[in-house]
Amino acid sequence: MSSSNESPVVTRFAPSPTGSLHLGNARTALFSYLWARQTGGKFILRIEDTDAERSQERFRGQLMADMRWLGLDWDEGPDVGGPAGPYAQAERGDFYALLYERLSAEALAYPCYCTAQELELSRKLQRAAGRAPRYDGTCRGLTPAQRIERAARGLRPSLRFAVPGNRSIEFIDAVHGPQRFASNDIGDFVIRREDGTPAFFFCNAVDDSAMGVTQVLRGDDHLANTPRQLMLLEALGMRCPAYGHVGLLVGEDGAPLSKRHGSASAHEFRERGFLNSAVLNQLFRLGHTGDTDAWVPAAEMPAHFRPQHLGRAPARFEETQLLHWQKESLERLSSAQIAQWLGAGDSAEFVELVRHNVLLPADAVAWRAVVRGELAPLDAEERRVVAAAGAAFFAAAGEAYEHSSGDLKALTKLLKERTGRKGSDLFMPLRVALTGKAHGPELAQLLRLMPPDTVRRRLQSYAQNT
RNA sequence: GCUCCCUUCGUCUAGAGGCCUAGGACACGGCCCUCUCAAGGCUGUAACACGAGUUCGAAUCUCGUAGGGAGCGCCA
């Protein structure tokens, strides 16, 4: 709303298809999406599948399905195309080759013949000497003759970017504010692997630029790497996007969110029955403060997003808060939608009855069983209630039931006259005997849905042995 | 080891020198309502990591300390 007159931003989400959509990634995707939508800009999806080992076609599909489920639709991407395609890095080899050539021709990059063992040793040595373990530049000054000699030995080179010395790289982070790094702290890094595939620092930066991305939003873990990408783009004469680094999403133990914390992917929450609007509302408030505390429908979220209120500190994900948004989301569903969400072909009465007592579809299972005539064992509190009422109470209740034709009001009226009990003393033992639980939906309707035989059996069993 | 980042109630956060005896939301407790739970209404507990400084005045600025995190990879 307030920001709609700002110039359109182009944002992107650039996952690697090596797993399903992680909650932390889902959140940066959401922020990026909202930012673009808020300004009438564009949101791009780019698949970073340069790691052929770990990238899988099924993950790519699942990633996109999870994003669609969350409603994060993209304007340009591998499936919908766009002017800057292709949108999967595995298909952008020609573009990268061009840039490698340029960098090599201008001596801004050079082949490196160091072996993994040599690099490992060098790092170890530097660490031991109390210095940052960065590439020592062995191959930077190689003469053409030396290169030919190494190639002749069958060594396949990687390509390294020649980091300029004595430079101060400054930029304004959209979240952290002004940043300054020294190029002398940064070693020459690989931009093309020995096998010819592009390395992250390179293809990620170069693609953002080429695709017209104006605002990159990503996790804090990339903050210290940003100067590399800036130097690279500068060397190439390419436009630099603005960068913003949000604090990481961590689990309840404070460690970065992972499988250890149970569900860590959007997919798992979806499978458990969380609504997309619940997940959206939760992510919206993790490391971000919108302009409202209230539940926000997905369609209105862009208007409530405030990019200047993105958080620097790590945000802790707690399921209890997600549960709150689930409750809010559920309240806004029609009964037909709830029935579909429960997915068990329940009757309309049943759905209406349990909808306020259910947060996840799994919660309905117990009530379905109660109505069907199955009873779970009582816990300590519930046994106490039954015992306190006594066998005579249930005998009277059984009798009253026969004269009330399934109507709770009539039943309790008779029972009240016969036992002198009222209020909670009257209803609680009845509820526990009939449903096996101290809490739950409206008893009158529950009673109506229960088969008479079941009701008789339950009351009788307590009339005999309590 | 070096460089960088972070630190307000249990959790998410508001706060950009006086509006702060620090506000909201979730969670938790109490009361009301009620057959129970939920919903709703009212209400309570609970935080500026620590220490110096700057200032008439600091959660807010500076510097230290502590704790946490990231990067320094032919992983993204």
Side-chain angles (χ1 to χ4, degrees), chain A residues 431-461:
Chain A
R431 168 179 287 281
V432 171
L434 293 174
T435 71
K437 296 197 186 324
H439 311 301
E442 209 55 45
L443 189 57
Q445 286 155 67
L446 227 28
L447 183 65
R448 211 166 304 135
L449 288 177
M450 283 191 283
D453 278 356
T454 307
V455 175
R456 288 191 188 103
R457 197 160 14 91
R458 286 178 189 170
L459 291 176
Q460 263 164 30
S461 76

Side-chain angles (χ1 to χ4, degrees), chain A residues 177-196:
Chain A
Q179 302 292 313
R180 175 162 44 197
F181 294 86
S183 72
N184 288 346
D185 288 335
I186 300 169
D188 295 345
F189 53 94
V190 169
I191 57 177
R192 186 184 61 205
R193 300 189 194 103
E194 183 186 319
D195 65 3

Side-chain angles (χ1 to χ4, degrees), chain A residues 193-270:
Chain A
R193 300 189 194 103
E194 183 186 319
D195 65 3
T197 58
F200 168 79
F201 291 136
F202 171 82
C203 52
N204 177 266
V206 134
D207 280 345
D208 282 337
S209 185
M211 291 178 178
V213 173
T214 65
Q215 182 56 251
V216 171
L217 222 46
R218 38 154 62 156
D220 244 355
D221 47 343
H222 288 301
L223 183 57
N225 288 328
T226 304
R228 290 160 206 272
Q229 300 195 303
L230 254 13
M231 285 189 286
L232 199 45
L233 290 176
E234 200 180 305
L236 250 5
M238 296 174 79
R239 203 187 41 76
C240 295
Y243 291 91
H245 294 88
V246 295
L248 293 177
L249 202 53
V250 299
E252 308 206 6
D253 57 359
L257 206 58
S258 72
K259 293 282 173 222
R260 285 184 297 120
H261 301 92
S263 307
S265 74
H267 193 74
E268 290 168 78
F269 285 101
R270 178 185 184 179

Side-chain angles (χ1 to χ4, degrees), chain A residues 9-15 25-46 67-68 71-78 80-81 87 211-213 215 217:
Chain A
V9 302
V10 178
T11 62
R12 52 71 164 173
F13 178 52
N25 286 339
R27 188 184 58 143
T28 49
L30 171 65
F31 292 157
S32 298
Y33 165 85
L34 292 176
W35 204 340
R37 289 287 170 269
Q38 173 173 85
T39 59
K42 276 191 305 190
F43 177 58
I44 299 173
L45 175 65
R46 182 178 68 235
M67 284 183 70
R68 288 232 160 78
L72 308 180
D73 48 281
W74 46 97
D75 304 297
E76 298 173 22
V80 297
Y87 292 89
M211 291 178 178
V213 173
Q215 182 56 251
L217 222 46

